[in-house]
Amino acid sequence: MQRYPRNLTGYGATPPNAAWPGGAKIAISLVLNYEEGGENCLLHGDAASEGFLSDIPGAAPWPGQRHWNMESIYDYGARAGFWRLHRLFTARGLPVTIYGVATALARNPEQLAAMKAADWEIASHGLKWVEHRDMSEDHERTAIQDAIRLHTETVGTPPRGWYTGRCSVNTVRLAAETGQFDWISDTYDDDLPHWMEFGDRDQLILPYTLEANDMRFATAPGWVTGADFETYLKDAFDVLYAEGEAGAPKMLSIGLHCRLIGRPGKIAGLMRFLDHVQSHPGVWFARRMDIAQHWATAHPHQRGTRPSQMDRASFIDRFGGVYEHSPWVAERAYGLELGPAHDTATGLANALARAFRAASMDERLTVLRAHPDLAGKLAAAKRLTHASTQEQASAGLDALTDDERSTFQNLNTAYVQKHGFPFIIAVRDNTKASILAAFKARIDNDTTTEFSTACQQVERIAELRLNALLASSC
């Protein structure tokens, strides 16, 4: 058994209507990362200076040394950048979510007091602004708990949201397992919130952004002027706003850093962007906690059948009859690299079809021969499978006139004599008349063509059966 954990499907072609409050066409989340005083620094017990997200070109950590220039750039974010942003957002009455590094918050009590006075949400950005990728699970678990403890001591209330940023492959799971967080944002995988399951925990995920983010002032390819950032944000907003007007509202996260966007030459672009956005009706500026609360109420998680998570016996019991009297198809599909993408009817149909297509011609022929004749003797004797009974009834094949029944029986006999297997068609896609017309047209095909056509129809029948099976279990 192989299982692929990444979810490449998401909401697919039909995302849910976010139904933002007041019928808003878009939700905008302004996120201010507060990391100043929590970065790598010998003063903080680290082995090297910080090398990430500053205006120093090509910056790299200095092992065993303090980097005075790097420290002073971070200091600017706390001393000047934060207050410039605070004035901007409070003057406009805009709600903000702080991603607060716990040690940074502890070293910046005046800025923390201003955040609280403005009623900004203060979420946890980890214990320190450091990499988690090389931490052992135990180390990272302890770091998360220490972040919660220090955040609670410093802020006065425990954090309800979490974003690490420099995370490991285990971070989201470990944060979810605490049961502490209403939302976690260490993903970049969607324009809408979504749920993830970790054991018994249903965890709401609010995807974040690394592109609508001022960090690109400090990375390549990136922004050079405030106008670069402004243009990108406007384009992102305009596309999402238009989608919202068309009935598919989305969420736009905007990532900010005090030491970057807080510089006067950069913040001008953000100001012009806000002017643009605030000239539009139907824009919901919200803290991430408000978005999370709305989503949990409007779109609560519902657990359903997850084929990729079933044990072998349950999988075969549930899906072994999808290919008529041929459980071996499901058994072989179970051994494929299944994952969240196969937890839908379309995805699971593809996995079963792969197993069927990979089988020998003789094996596929046994599947064709396992199918009953249309309106044949088994139907008359009520010996069809439940699925076949419903399918034939859906096209009215259980209520034929004597002449119609005679026609079908004659065609059945002639078809089997010529091709060696029953005539197969996805009856749910057809009417009695179209089935009869296809029967008369296909009977004269060569057997190679009919074998291929019959196999395709078997796959379509399986897809329709899976649609019904999974719809009834969700």
Side-chain angles (χ1 to χ4, degrees):
M1 182 185 74
Q2 304 175 70
R3 292 297 177 261
Y4 189 73
R6 291 166 58 190
N7 186 340
L8 304 178
T9 301
Y11 292 120
T14 56
N17 188 320
W20 300 131
K25 300 175 181 65
I26 186 172
I28 295 184
S29 168
L30 296 171
V31 174
L32 183 56
N33 292 264
Y34 202 87
E35 298 152 355
E36 287 75 12
E39 78 279 8
N40 282 286
C41 179
L42 265 65
L43 297 176
H44 305 160
D46 301 304
S49 64
E50 184 58 67
F52 191 43
L53 291 190
S54 80
D55 286 322
I56 300 175
W62 289 5
Q65 297 185 58
R66 289 178 62 187
H67 192 319
W68 186 262
N69 291 348
M70 180 65 72
E71 291 177 21
S72 68
I73 285 175
Y74 271 77
D75 292 349
Y76 182 93
R79 293 162 57 108
F82 170 80
W83 297 108
R84 183 169 288 120
L85 289 160
H86 183 269
R87 289 191 295 271
L88 172 65
F89 295 138
T90 55
R92 292 176 182 249
L94 295 175
V96 173
T97 292
I98 296 291
Y99 285 172
V101 173
T103 50
L105 295 175
R107 293 184 174 112
N108 290 268
E110 290 194 18
Q111 293 89 334
L112 174 59
M115 297 172 194
K116 295 173 70 174
D119 197 28
W120 291 354
E121 175 188 16
I122 306 176
S124 181
H125 196 9
L127 179 66
K128 300 175 68 175
W129 176 229
V130 297
E131 293 285 359
H132 282 223
R133 64 183 181 183
D134 295 323
M135 292 183 182
S136 68
E137 281 199 37
D138 286 344
H139 181 187
E140 186 171 18
R141 185 179 289 108
T142 299
I144 292 171
Q145 292 293 349
D146 287 345
I148 295 171
R149 175 192 54 76
L150 182 56
H151 182 109
T152 304
E153 285 180 14
T154 304
V155 178
T157 55
R160 303 304 306 170
W162 177 272
Y163 175 73
T164 310
R166 301 162 84 171
C167 67
S168 78
V169 71
N170 300 312
T171 300
V172 175
R173 173 175 55 82
L174 293 174
E177 287 175 356
T178 67
Q180 173 71 39
F181 302 111
D182 297 331
W183 57 268
I184 295 173
S185 284
D186 276 302
T187 73
Y188 313 94
D189 55 4
D190 214 301
D191 297 310
L192 288 172
H194 60 86
W195 297 89
M196 294 182 71
E197 297 176 1
F198 298 95
D200 295 333
R201 173 71 174 174
D202 296 334
Q203 180 62 60
L204 182 60
I205 304 296
L206 300 191
Y208 187 48
T209 177
L210 295 180
E211 39 83 43
N213 193 312
D214 69 356
M215 67 176 286
R216 292 182 62 183
F217 281 111
T219 59
W223 322 123
V224 177
T225 69
D228 296 332
F229 191 41
E230 170 196 353
T231 298
Y232 189 88
L233 293 183
K234 283 182 177 178
D235 286 346
F237 171 81
D238 289 346
V239 168
L240 294 180
Y241 190 83
E243 291 182 7
E245 287 187 308
K250 302 296 194 309
M251 170 183 171
L252 174 61
S253 295
I254 299 173
L256 306 168
H257 298 76
C258 301
R259 63 193 175 278
L260 296 175
I261 200 66
R263 294 281 180 174
K266 297 170 183 172
I267 200 171
L270 177 62
M271 291 174 175
R272 291 190 295 269
F273 165 72
L274 293 175
D275 290 340
H276 176 71
V277 170
Q278 291 187 293
S279 71
H280 289 69
V283 176
W284 182 40
F285 282 94
R287 301 170 302 180
R288 294 177 92 75
M289 64 186 293
D290 302 320
I291 294 172
Q293 183 178 22
H294 168 80
W295 200 266
T297 300
H299 303 281
H301 184 52
Q302 295 181 349
R303 293 202 173 203
T305 298
R306 301 285 187 269
S308 66
Q309 297 177 10
M310 289 181 170
D311 61 63
R312 181 182 297 273
S314 299
F315 186 92
I316 296 171
D317 179 65
R318 183 68 171 159
F319 304 114
V322 170
Y323 278 69
E324 193 83 0
H325 296 298
S326 304
W328 61 267
V329 178
E331 185 172 7
R332 293 182 188 178
Y334 184 82
L336 297 177
E337 186 190 69
L338 302 184
H342 301 98
D343 290 338
T344 65
T346 298
L348 188 54
N350 179 265
L352 292 171
R354 285 179 56 197
F356 176 62
R357 294 166 191 165
S360 69
M361 182 172 291
D362 285 344
E363 288 174 318
R364 285 179 286 156
L365 184 59
T366 64
V367 176
L368 302 188
R369 288 174 173 168
H371 277 260
D373 290 331
L374 295 182
K377 294 180 181 179
L378 290 178
K382 300 187 183 300
R383 292 173 54 197
L384 299 178
T385 64
H386 178 68
S388 290
T389 299
Q390 288 187 318
E391 288 158 359
Q392 296 205 21
S394 72
L397 300 187
D398 61 339
L400 301 176
T401 66
D402 289 343
D403 287 344
E404 289 171 334
R405 185 174 294 103
S406 177
T407 298
F408 269 99
Q409 289 174 351
N410 290 336
L411 286 169
N412 282 331
T413 299
Y415 186 96
V416 172
Q417 286 178 346
K418 179 175 181 179
H419 298 299
F421 49 84
F423 175 77
I424 300 173
I425 191 169
V427 295
R428 289 192 183 275
D429 288 336
N430 290 274
T431 64
K432 181 169 58 179
S434 66
I435 292 170
L436 192 57
F439 214 151
K440 292 177 179 178
R442 285 172 49 187
I443 196 170
D444 292 329
N445 289 337
D446 62 86
T447 297
T448 299
T449 297
E450 271 307 288
F451 182 84
S452 176
T453 301
C455 287
Q456 293 172 11
Q457 291 297 305
V458 164
E459 292 177 14
R460 174 58 180 162
I461 291 167
E463 183 179 5
L464 292 168
R465 289 178 177 180
L466 286 168
N467 281 332
L469 273 173
L470 292 183
S472 67
S473 61
C474 293

